[in-house]
Amino acid sequence: MNVDPIIVAMVSCIDMLDAAEPDEVEPGYAVKVQQVMGEYLQAIPRSDEPELRAMLLRIADDISAGEPKIARYLRQWAGNLSES
């Protein structure tokens, strides 16, 4: 299974929730969804972080021309993970 589209979809969702106006998405609901996503992401074992970091950076490079904002999210996420 190729997880690249799943990661891009997840980050796109976070971005859309960040940018949504109150008449589009109730702000409390948007925050709740982001918190749930964050809780699952925090469950990623530290031993998997280097591989995830490399994948995030590769995806960011691949999409940076067409999706610069999503690429920035991916790089920021990767920067918060351990390198080794």
Side-chain angles (χ1 to χ4, degrees):
M1 178 169 138
N2 185 350
V3 297
D4 292 5
I6 294 169
I7 290 174
V8 174
M10 181 190 62
V11 173
S12 296
C13 177
I14 292 169
D15 178 50
M16 288 188 301
L17 288 170
D18 278 345
E21 297 294 326
D23 63 329
E24 296 173 314
V25 177
E26 196 276 312
Y29 182 76
V31 169
K32 176 80 171 159
V33 171
Q34 291 173 319
Q35 288 173 336
V36 168
M37 291 174 78
E39 288 170 7
Y40 280 106
L41 293 171
Q42 288 176 346
I44 294 171
R46 287 192 58 82
S47 60
D48 289 344
E49 287 184 2
E51 181 181 354
L52 177 60
R53 184 179 190 282
M55 181 182 7
L56 295 173
L57 293 173
R58 181 181 46 75
I59 296 168
D61 289 345
D62 289 348
I63 68 167
S64 62
E67 297 283 347
K69 190 171 182 185
I70 302 303
R72 278 192 302 276
Y73 270 105
L74 293 168
R75 287 188 180 106
Q76 182 180 10
W77 181 10
N80 292 327
L81 298 172
S82 58
E83 292 186 46
S84 56

